[in-house]
Amino acid sequence: MSDTASATEVASGSRRTGTLYRGDPGMWSWVAHRITGVLTFFFLFAHVLDTALVRVSPNAYDEIIETYKTPIVNLIEVGLVGAVLYHALNGIRVMLVDFWEKGARYQKQMLWVILGLWVLVMIPGAYFMLVRTVTEMFGGH
């Protein structure tokens, strides 16, 4: 692309300057969808590897499973559930935008709906996932 704008670009105001990332909620949902998809892929890759380990060395498999019972891994699991849930809900929104004739018109409203659903599911989900870890770390019943 040349450094000088054509007369029609300047006249129409279509020449873009700077970055394409403008901070629009739709752009951030796109970025988050890609990131959560990659995170989910890497989790599934690691899960297949650690599960396959049971055939190679059952003792090594047992050691790996024990590390999964640590508080830090529990926090990572909560993050994983959040990533998978967001990716799934946003995937439904993306399909509606693509295949529903009014989808593009309502994409921002649908984004806020899926974010609301995400929060409604994640709050109790995170609570129940973290109860054991918090109890072990800080005592309790």
Side-chain angles (χ1 to χ4, degrees):
M1 183 172 182
S2 69
D3 289 334
T4 58
S6 71
T8 55
E9 285 177 326
V10 173
S12 67
S14 67
R15 176 140 191 230
R16 293 183 185 221
T17 59
T19 179
L20 281 143
Y21 297 103
R22 304 272 186 232
D24 181 73
M27 182 272 306
W28 288 113
S29 71
W30 178 87
V31 169
H33 193 75
R34 295 322 184 262
I35 291 170
T36 57
V38 169
L39 291 173
T40 302
F41 169 78
F42 283 118
F43 162 75
L44 290 172
F45 183 74
H47 180 61
V48 167
L49 288 179
D50 69 15
T51 303
L53 190 60
V54 76
R55 298 194 66 159
V56 176
S57 173
N59 290 336
Y61 173 80
D62 290 340
E63 289 176 26
I64 295 288
I65 296 302
E66 279 304 309
T67 65
Y68 291 167
K69 296 177 183 176
T70 62
I72 193 76
V73 173
N74 189 229
L75 289 173
I76 293 169
E77 287 173 335
V78 172
L80 174 67
V81 168
V84 170
L85 181 63
Y86 173 81
H87 193 79
L89 291 172
N90 194 55
I92 293 168
R93 184 184 74 87
V94 168
M95 287 188 295
L96 288 171
V97 169
D98 287 346
F99 297 113
W100 180 36
E101 65 185 39
K102 296 180 183 179
R105 184 179 323 151
Y106 296 111
Q107 68 95 11
K108 284 185 183 177
Q109 293 90 335
M110 289 188 292
L111 174 61
W112 293 114
V113 168
I114 67 132
L115 290 175
L117 287 171
W118 185 86
V119 168
L120 285 173
V121 173
M122 277 306 295
I123 289 174
Y127 172 79
F128 287 112
M129 289 180 75
L130 293 171
V131 165
R132 181 182 56 83
T133 295
V134 170
T135 302
E136 284 179 11
M137 288 178 67
F138 301 108
H141 301 89

